[in-house]
Amino acid sequence: MYNFFLEVSEHLPFLLKGAAVTIELSLVSMLLGTFLGFFLAIGRLSSHRLIRLPLNVFVEVMRDTPLIVQLLLIYFSLPAAGIVLSAFCAGLAGLTLNLAAYLSEVFRAAISAVDSGQKAAAISLGMSPFSVYRRVIIPQAGLASLPTLGGYFIALLKDCSLVSFISVNELLRHATIVISDTFDSMNTYIMVAIIYFVMSFISARIIYHIEQRLTPANRRASFNLPLTMDKEAAR
């Protein structure tokens, strides 16, 4: 036990530097993957086969092949085609594309779940298709997708460990460096597991509070609060 706490004080700062890279990769991949996944979902709902079919093929390929294989192909195979990416950019591209494929299915289901009568009513009021998506469909689909997006973000935090296979200096890569110096894999991996748990737990709590804040009941309560206060003041 004493050796464990001694190693924590010695190696924790180095491991936290890798954790910072993991968080950076997760946040940027989540942001890009969310935008790309939404536009993929819209394209897959298109009535034009030339738009819909290639996007469906892309999503199926990304969902039906392992993420680690996709990362290795992007990092090691693209240079043969003249596209050279740094390890970080290759990892970011692989995580983003893989996440976008999964999120496109989430958004497609959420958009399809919006009542078609609302779309028809918005169009009858003179809204353009863009306005219908921006003011009617996206708010409802986004709110319905939020819990699933939170779950995917927590999974993404842990999936970032795979980019260590292409030499990205994230948390697990830093752990292997520590192990190569100390030959103490057990204590090092315990520290890594604790760091992953803390990152995932904090992320889960933040996501939960965002969900609670954006639920219709809480939004109505916050909207009615000033009115209630004014009534009390008038009395």
Side-chain angles (χ1 to χ4, degrees):
M1 183 64 68
Y2 174 76
N3 290 336
F4 175 75
F5 287 107
L6 184 64
E7 290 203 13
V8 167
S9 62
E10 183 178 355
H11 300 299
L12 184 61
F14 182 70
L15 292 176
L16 290 179
K17 290 181 180 179
V21 176
T22 296
I23 294 173
E24 181 183 4
L25 267 173
S26 300
L27 290 174
V28 178
S29 298
M30 190 70 195
L31 180 63
L32 297 177
T34 300
F35 278 104
L36 181 58
F38 177 75
F39 288 111
L40 281 174
I42 294 177
R44 295 177 67 200
L45 290 170
S46 172
S47 59
H48 299 286
R49 295 185 61 188
L50 291 179
I51 297 175
R52 187 177 68 253
L53 291 181
L55 295 181
N56 285 336
V57 170
F58 168 79
V59 169
E60 288 301 323
V61 169
M62 298 303 293
R63 293 176 63 193
D64 297 339
T65 56
L67 175 57
I68 182 61
V69 175
Q70 297 167 16
L71 291 169
L72 293 173
L73 284 173
I74 291 173
Y75 187 61
F76 292 109
S77 298
L78 286 183
I83 303 174
V84 180
L85 298 175
S86 66
F88 183 88
C89 290
L92 180 62
L95 292 170
T96 298
L97 293 174
N98 183 270
L99 179 65
Y102 283 94
L103 293 186
S104 71
E105 189 65 16
V106 174
F107 288 131
R108 186 191 64 80
I111 292 171
S112 299
V114 176
D115 187 4
S116 59
Q118 297 186 36
K119 306 175 189 177
I123 293 174
S124 68
L125 292 173
M127 286 188 183
S128 65
F130 176 78
S131 296
V132 172
Y133 266 97
R134 184 174 64 88
R135 303 182 64 177
V136 178
I137 297 176
I138 293 178
Q140 296 183 68
L143 190 61
S145 304
L146 188 59
T148 307
L149 292 178
Y152 272 109
F153 178 75
I154 295 173
L156 180 63
L157 272 173
K158 293 171 282 189
D159 285 343
C160 282
S161 61
L162 295 176
V163 301
S164 63
F165 287 92
I166 57 173
S167 304
V168 178
N169 288 319
E170 48 74 64
L171 177 56
L172 189 61
R173 177 74 173 177
H174 277 224
T176 59
I177 295 173
V178 171
I179 292 172
S180 66
D181 291 337
T182 63
F183 299 100
D184 188 356
S185 59
M186 184 180 73
N187 288 332
T188 302
Y189 283 133
I190 289 175
M191 284 188 283
V192 169
I194 292 173
I195 293 172
Y196 272 118
F197 173 80
V198 171
M199 291 192 299
S200 299
F201 181 80
I202 293 175
S203 299
R205 299 311 300 172
I206 292 173
I207 293 166
Y208 173 78
H209 285 298
I210 292 174
E211 290 176 18
Q212 292 297 308
R213 185 74 175 176
L214 295 179
T215 53
N218 287 331
R219 293 177 66 183
R220 285 195 297 269
S222 63
F223 178 77
N224 291 328
L225 181 60
L227 179 59
T228 305
M229 295 175 64
D230 289 341
K231 289 181 178 179
E232 292 294 332
R235 292 176 183 175

